[in-house]
Amino acid sequence: MRNPVTKQEKSIAMASSYLLFMFLGAVTAVEVLRPRGVPLSKRQFYEENRPFTCLDGSGTIAFDRVNDDYCDCKDGSDEPGTAACPNGSFHCTNAGFRPGFIPSSRINDGICDCCDTTDEYNSGATCQNTCRELGRKERESLQMLAEVAKEGFLLKQQLIHEAKRGLDEKQSKVTELQLSKRASEDAVEALRLVKEAAEKPEKEAKDRHLKAWEEQQAVIRAEKDNTKMAEAFLRLDVDADGLVSAVELQAHTELDPDADGMFTEEEAQGVLGGQETVDTAAFETIWSSIKEKYLSEPQTDIPAPVDPPTPEETTEPASDNDSEQYPDEEVPEEYEDEDPDDEDDEDQDEEDDKIPPTAPPTETTEEDEQALPPYEEGTQSLIDVAQKARDEFDEAERALREVDDQIKGLEKEISLDFGPSFEFAYLYGQCYDLTTSEYIYRLCPFNRVSQKPKFGGSETNLGSWGSWSGSEDNVYSQKKYDHGTGCWQGPNRSTTVKLTCGKETVVMSVSEPSRCEYLMEFTTPAVCQEPPSLDANHDHTEL
């Protein structure tokens, strides 16, 4: 079924018929007598031997009142050749060119409106008949359009042939890929079972290896903890009587439960589990609760808080001789020999003695640094087998995804509306650019329209492919692209693409008739229609 034709294609069809009888030499000019300004199609209404009836039926007059320069009919049909009726029209025969109509008010106004000068028959205006020249130029233009339409239609036929062949190939490819997909799914499932079978002994071997290592580490930690506990007991047992007493424990204020700086004997007994003394066996039960706080060196010499001075002490007058006890020139020798730096060092030593020791920095132990040892040969062999199975499974899954993606891509392409005969299929996956003084416009027919500054800058989306939006009788003459980048305080950009017949696939022009709404002219042979068959029955032109 042929597509409906556009205005351009109608003009090309008319041109083809017009060119037929103009160029075949089969034109016989026959002048048919009728009143001035009457087209041949209405000659039958103007019979000289009968009264004239207005074409709107509003009245009937004697025929001699036709073109008498007085308007009798409401529709002006009685004055086709004069300017008497304001709503009348004058028919220009324009032999050699296209006939046409002009408002009757332009008759004899001194300006030549008809190319054959018939509208100025009584004005005295000097007019030249330009119909033949205009006809020649129009015939050349129409001839070019007809040639474009003819060549475009031939290209369209090729596009349709290639599209149908491509469609068959894609459908065959989908069928082939679906068979391949089923085979890939079977392979993936088989490799999944192989992988799972290989991973089970691998996991068991790795778990055994980890468990053995953890047990070994637990033994090492227990030995170290016992050693540290024994050392702590010996340090806490100051009097070496084989018992740790609450009094001995008080020296380690870091073990004070409430950390208030006052580690009382009662609190120490609480740490010892309510006992005044514990032996090594009982010490083991409390060790876990104190080992995190315990410091090998006790905190000692913590200065007691100093009471503020009494008012009497602060108001005691100084001796009158204090300031002059040792004048500069009479300093005793015993003080002259003293080095002020030595005095500062002594003061500093005293300050250091008063600062309680802090907890030693945490050191990284061998246990922390020790990593999981290498697997033994048997376990490593199981790991290698399982890893190989995983790699093969992953590769099979990747291949399956690729096949699935190909099927989806082909099915999407096949499902697109490429026209009644798939004539627009060749545009799929293609893009076409138009460069202006400021921008580079890009049309990807089944994807999107974009705009990019010519001299650098980010790309702006002018709309994504939506649907065919031509008129009801020619829906494939126009495409709509929506949901582009939003305008500042305005709607999202959109583009309408109008398709016209052409030998080449080219973006011809871009404009913005409304804010954020773009119009693009696009030529393609896919919209060219078959030229009408040449009718040789046109044997005369209207004169």
Side-chain angles (χ1 to χ4, degrees):
M1 182 179 69
R2 292 176 51 193
N3 292 336
V5 296
T6 63
K7 289 183 178 180
Q8 181 196 30
E9 291 158 354
K10 288 179 180 177
S11 65
I12 292 173
M14 292 174 62
S16 300
S17 299
Y18 180 69
L19 289 168
L20 172 70
F21 62 83
M22 291 299 292
F23 285 105
L24 292 180
V27 178
T28 303
V30 178
E31 183 176 3
V32 179
L33 297 178
R34 58 191 183 276
R36 191 190 304 272
V38 175
L40 185 61
S41 59
K42 296 180 180 180
R43 170 68 183 84
Q44 69 272 23
F45 300 113
Y46 295 85
E47 296 290 340
E48 292 186 18
N49 56 355
R50 295 189 336 185
F52 174 75
T53 299
C54 302
L55 298 184
D56 63 356
S58 59
T60 301
I61 59 174
F63 190 81
D64 58 4
R65 292 168 63 178
V66 174
N67 281 340
D68 66 348
D69 207 20
Y70 184 83
C71 192
D72 298 290
C73 297
K74 292 180 180 180
D75 61 357
S77 57
D78 63 312
E79 298 297 322
T82 73
C85 296
N87 58 341
S89 61
F90 179 84
H91 179 260
C92 303
T93 302
N94 293 341
F97 188 50
R98 287 181 288 105
F101 289 89
I102 63 171
S104 59
S105 59
R106 297 183 183 179
I107 299 173
N108 292 322
D109 62 352
I111 300 174
C112 298
D113 297 290
C114 301
C115 67
D116 62 0
T117 74
T118 53
D119 60 312
E120 298 301 320
Y121 61 89
N122 198 29
S123 68
T126 303
C127 300
Q128 292 184 350
N129 189 324
T130 60
C131 289
R132 292 187 179 278
E133 180 62 19
L134 291 174
R136 182 187 65 79
K137 291 181 179 180
E138 184 177 65
R139 288 191 296 273
E140 291 177 355
S141 176
L142 293 176
Q143 179 68 23
M144 292 177 62
L145 286 175
E147 289 297 325
V148 167
K150 180 180 179 181
E151 293 182 34
F153 181 73
L154 292 176
L155 290 173
K156 178 180 179 179
Q157 296 305 107
Q158 295 177 16
L159 293 175
I160 292 173
H161 175 72
E162 293 172 2
K164 289 183 177 180
R165 183 180 63 186
L167 177 64
D168 292 339
E169 291 175 355
K170 289 179 176 65
Q171 290 174 334
S172 299
K173 184 66 175 177
V174 168
T175 302
E176 176 186 338
L177 288 172
Q178 286 173 338
L179 293 174
S180 176
K181 179 181 177 180
R182 285 193 285 271
S184 296
E185 289 172 339
D186 293 340
V188 167
E189 187 58 31
L191 289 171
R192 185 195 306 279
L193 296 176
V194 172
K195 178 177 76 74
E196 291 174 352
E199 285 177 337
K200 183 178 179 181
E202 175 203 34
K203 183 178 184 303
E204 293 173 351
K206 290 173 73 174
D207 288 345
R208 287 194 301 271
H209 181 84
L210 178 62
K211 182 179 180 181
W213 178 78
E214 289 176 343
E215 290 174 349
Q216 181 184 12
Q217 293 303 305
V219 171
I220 294 173
R221 286 194 298 270
E223 291 176 352
K224 289 183 177 181
D225 190 60
N226 289 335
T227 301
K228 185 177 180 181
M229 180 182 66
E231 292 175 352
F233 185 87
L234 291 175
R235 287 180 179 275
L236 292 172
D237 184 12
V238 178
D239 57 7
D241 62 351
L243 299 171
V244 174
S245 66
V247 174
E248 289 172 328
L249 199 64
Q250 279 184 275
H252 286 262
T253 56
E254 76 274 9
L255 302 178
D256 183 7
D258 56 13
D260 62 354
M262 299 294 291
F263 192 18
T264 65
E265 186 175 352
E266 289 77 9
E267 290 175 327
Q269 289 180 5
V271 173
L272 293 178
Q275 305 294 321
E276 291 186 1
T277 61
V278 294
D279 58 12
T280 54
F283 187 73
E284 290 181 6
T285 62
I286 66 169
W287 171 244
S288 60
S289 63
I290 68 171
K291 64 182 179 182
E292 299 299 331
K293 295 181 179 180
Y294 170 74
L295 300 176
S296 60
E297 295 297 331
Q299 297 184 10
T300 58
D301 297 329
I302 299 177
V306 179
D307 294 332
T310 63
E312 291 78 6
E313 291 173 339
T314 57
T315 57
E316 183 178 353
S319 172
D320 293 339
N321 296 329
D322 285 349
S323 61
E324 297 180 356
Q325 186 175 3
Y326 299 108
D328 292 342
E329 65 276 7
E330 296 179 1
V331 177
E333 291 183 9
E334 55 203 10
Y335 289 95
E336 287 181 356
D337 294 336
E338 291 182 358
D339 188 348
D341 292 337
D342 293 340
E343 183 177 358
D344 294 338
D345 293 340
E346 291 175 4
D347 295 339
Q348 184 63 44
D349 292 339
E350 292 179 3
E351 293 293 329
D352 293 342
D353 290 341
K354 296 177 182 179
I355 298 175
T358 58
T362 304
E363 296 181 358
T364 303
T365 64
E366 293 181 2
E367 177 185 336
D368 297 328
E369 294 180 351
Q370 187 171 357
L372 189 69
Y375 295 108
E376 52 191 38
E377 184 176 352
T379 301
Q380 187 60 52
S381 176
L382 292 173
I383 292 173
D384 293 341
V385 171
Q387 187 58 49
K388 181 181 179 183
R390 281 190 290 270
D391 292 341
E392 291 176 350
F393 173 76
D394 292 342
E395 177 63 24
E397 268 201 330
R398 184 193 60 78
L400 176 59
R401 286 194 300 270
E402 288 183 355
V403 170
D404 197 44
D405 289 343
Q406 289 183 57
I407 292 174
K408 289 179 180 177
L410 288 170
E411 287 179 341
K412 177 185 176 183
E413 184 176 351
I414 292 172
S415 67
L416 288 174
D417 185 357
F418 290 130
S421 302
F422 305 101
E423 58 267 36
F424 297 99
Y426 82 103
L427 299 174
Y428 184 78
Q430 303 298 316
C431 294
Y432 304 89
D433 291 351
L434 173 67
T435 301
T436 65
S437 59
E438 295 183 69
Y439 298 102
I440 299 174
Y441 293 92
R442 171 164 291 185
L443 168 64
C444 303
F446 290 96
N447 188 0
R448 65 200 292 260
V449 181
S450 62
Q451 173 196 65
K452 188 175 182 179
K454 186 177 180 180
F455 302 103
S458 59
E459 187 177 76
T460 301
N461 183 0
L462 302 185
S464 298
W465 158 243
S467 62
W468 296 100
S469 60
S471 60
E472 185 176 349
D473 62 341
N474 191 16
V475 68
Y476 296 102
S477 64
Q478 188 168 284
K479 305 181 78 176
K480 186 68 176 179
Y481 297 78
D482 297 307
H483 309 298
T485 304
C487 287
W488 172 251
Q489 295 184 342
N492 287 359
R493 291 173 172 84
S494 63
T495 301
T496 298
V497 178
K498 290 189 175 181
L499 286 71
T500 56
C501 172
K503 294 186 295 183
E504 299 179 351
T505 306
V506 181
V507 178
M508 299 299 294
S509 65
V510 180
S511 60
E512 189 178 3
S514 300
R515 182 170 181 258
C516 307
E517 296 180 0
Y518 297 81
L519 178 64
M520 182 174 284
E521 298 284 346
F522 184 62
T523 65
T524 167
V527 296
C528 294
Q529 298 298 319
E530 181 179 9
S533 58
L534 297 180
D535 185 358
N537 293 326
H538 292 82
D539 59 355
H540 69 276
T541 184
E542 183 180 284
L543 293 178

